[in-house]
Amino acid sequence: MEITIKEPKLNNKEFTFTDSVRNQKLITKMMIDGYKERVDAQDNEQPEVDETKLTAEEIIDLEQKRIESQIQNWDDQLKKIDSIINVFATIFDLKGKQKEILENLSFNDLGELLAHVSVLINNPAISEETYWELMKAGESKKSQPVEG
């Protein structure tokens, strides 16, 4: 089945794709990878170090490790962005410069687009209009104060 979505953050640009097994696998893999990254990030959190108990040399080594870790995080983030854009280019059949439009989205916007595509590709009974109605309903629920 062919599915068409509109991306509001790109002036309602339409993207069309099919609910093929290949596309379902690509989207599901990206969703799994995203969850794994969150779990890995929590598992890899480093405990706070009391720098008052460290020598000057140990403080320098610790700071170097922090910088190296940050560089690795940025490098991983860039690779993840490229991977997401390439998967979307495959799913949406974007060629060459066409896929550059996706680079106008933020990392969070790409995640929202992933969720959008995932919902529609895995739930054929949900239309584009229903998706946006659900999103709007969810936003209004978030903004309401919780009764205590």
Side-chain angles (χ1 to χ4, degrees), residues 94-139:
L94 303 175
K95 306 285 187 225
K97 292 206 173 259
Q98 290 178 324
K99 77 178 188 178
E100 288 180 10
I101 192 166
L102 297 172
E103 292 181 359
N104 293 322
L105 296 172
S106 72
F107 192 63
N108 285 339
D109 294 341
L110 287 171
E112 289 174 12
L113 182 59
L114 172 60
H116 186 169
V117 171
S118 178
V119 166
L120 295 181
I121 205 167
N122 290 307
N123 300 285
I126 296 179
S127 68
E128 174 75 352
E129 295 76 25
T130 302
Y131 173 82
W132 287 112
E133 288 172 12
L134 292 169
M135 293 304 293
K136 196 173 194 177
E139 287 175 6

Side-chain angles (χ1 to χ4, degrees), residues 76-95:
D76 292 345
Q77 182 93 352
L78 290 173
K79 288 175 185 171
K80 181 68 179 169
I81 290 169
D82 286 341
S83 173
I84 291 170
I85 288 173
N86 286 333
V87 168
F88 280 137
T90 299
I91 291 170
F92 299 149
D93 196 28
L94 303 175
K95 306 285 187 225

